[in-house]
Amino acid sequence: MVGAKYVFIIAFYILCSALALHAQEQADTQTQDTSQTAVDPEALEILKEMSDTLMSAKEFSFDTEITNDRTLDSGQTIQISGTMKGAVKRPNQVYAKYTGDFNTREVWYSGDELTLYVPDKGYYGQLKTPDTIDATMDFLMDSYNFALPLADVISADPYTSVMETTTGGFVVGDSMVRGVECTHLAFTAEYVDWQIWISNDDPALPHKIVIEYKELEGVPQYQAIFSNWNLSPKLSKSTFKPNLPKDAVKIDFINFKKDKGDDK
């Protein structure tokens, strides 16, 4: 999922030739008599239904399995894997813990302050922030080149966020994600191509996201597979309160805006 400001910091895997052919036929049909910017209304309807589900949830939690391509200086691409647990309480609380091949990170956002902790290094950073999730995401990206995990999913209006830069899209077809029947959608944006698998049964939720960064060397991909969705988790205040060891060392975030002199 890719918004105008939150192009994820974050494999177009077609598992059989029949599905690959079907996807190509859908794409050909979509572009045969229309411009490259056409978006299938059915795809928009399904995406909007998912967005409405997330918008209406006052709080929710989920797990994800994440794979992320990285292109080495040699040009070879390697895949980095990790898992993440996320929790959101609207309008202004977020918790996420990512455990990956090379590092672990925890983020707490409590409405007026964000804490990022890197236990592998033993350090953390804290920032005073705006009082909503969306305003904080703007602030972090503009000033610190940093985004909250899966920012488009947790935004106040996921549909608007992802459609800001999307120029084309269509319904690929039915698909299974970890035993869940989903509809597979494919979209094109200015700098990325992205796909999303949305559950057919209520509630409509994302179960898989794939992003292809077509402007970057090696065309790396990002994939997130969702599980354990809970739209009424009864999250406690302690979920969003930083849990730091006594020997953790505080460091400063790098303010890219100030370094570039943009705040003059």
Side-chain angles (χ1 to χ4, degrees):
M1 232 184 232
V2 182
K5 297 170 182 154
Y6 317 124
V7 174
F8 273 166
I9 318 174
I10 338 254
F12 192 86
Y13 290 123
I14 302 297
L15 298 180
C16 66
S17 58
L19 180 56
L21 178 59
H22 175 68
Q24 184 59 50
E25 290 173 346
Q26 290 283 347
D28 291 344
T29 301
Q30 197 68 26
T31 58
Q32 184 175 7
D33 300 316
T34 60
S35 69
Q36 195 173 10
T37 61
V39 182
D40 183 351
E42 183 182 358
L44 294 180
E45 182 179 353
I46 295 169
L47 188 66
K48 184 65 165 61
E49 183 180 1
M50 181 216 71
S51 177
D52 289 345
T53 297
L54 293 174
M55 287 174 64
S56 65
K58 296 184 183 301
E59 55 184 290
F60 57 89
S61 62
F62 57 89
D63 296 336
T64 54
E65 297 177 29
I66 296 170
T67 56
N68 197 15
D69 289 346
R70 292 188 184 177
T71 303
L72 305 178
D73 291 340
S74 64
Q76 181 179 359
T77 298
I78 60 172
Q79 189 177 81
I80 309 300
S81 300
T83 60
M84 192 187 80
K85 291 184 175 293
V88 176
K89 191 168 186 176
R90 301 193 186 281
N92 57 8
Q93 296 181 87
V94 176
Y95 169 74
K97 181 176 182 179
Y98 172 82
T99 304
D101 291 338
F102 297 117
N103 60 63
T104 297
R105 299 187 298 274
E106 281 188 273
V107 175
W108 297 268
Y109 167 59
S110 59
D112 59 1
E113 185 175 72
L114 179 135
T115 301
L116 171 63
Y117 174 50
V118 184
D120 307 285
K121 303 294 184 180
Y123 59 67
Y124 70 97
Q126 288 182 321
L127 290 170
K128 293 298 181 183
T129 57
D131 61 358
T132 66
I133 294 171
D134 284 28
T136 293
M137 289 193 292
D138 284 343
F139 166 72
L140 291 174
M141 183 56 69
D142 291 345
S143 295
Y144 295 94
N145 199 26
F146 170 70
L148 291 175
L150 294 168
D152 289 307
V153 174
I154 68 176
S155 69
D157 185 352
Y159 179 85
T160 298
S161 179
V162 300
M163 291 307 297
E164 283 181 340
T165 58
T166 295
T167 58
F170 62 96
V171 178
V172 178
D174 293 332
S175 182
M176 295 287 288
V177 179
R178 302 287 173 85
V180 178
E181 293 183 358
C182 296
T183 300
H184 177 190
L185 310 178
F187 295 92
T188 296
E190 184 176 1
Y191 300 111
V192 301
D193 291 335
W194 61 278
Q195 302 165 77
I196 185 167
W197 286 252
I198 298 172
S199 54
N200 291 338
D201 293 336
D202 290 336
L205 289 166
H207 282 266
K208 182 178 176 182
I209 293 170
V210 172
I211 304 167
E212 184 176 86
Y213 298 90
K214 56 191 178 184
E215 297 294 320
L216 298 182
E217 183 179 358
V219 194
Q221 292 180 333
Y222 171 96
Q223 175 180 280
I225 297 177
F226 296 81
S227 61
N228 299 325
W229 278 103
N230 188 341
L231 301 183
S232 54
K234 294 184 170 61
L235 300 168
S236 65
K237 290 183 179 181
S238 62
T239 301
F240 308 101
K241 182 178 180 180
N243 183 19
L244 301 169
K246 293 182 179 180
D247 59 350
V249 178
K250 186 175 182 179
I251 63 172
D252 292 331
F253 281 86
I254 299 175
N255 190 320
F256 291 91
K257 189 174 182 179
K258 283 186 176 180
D259 287 352
K260 293 178 181 179
D262 293 337
D263 60 336
K264 291 181 181 179

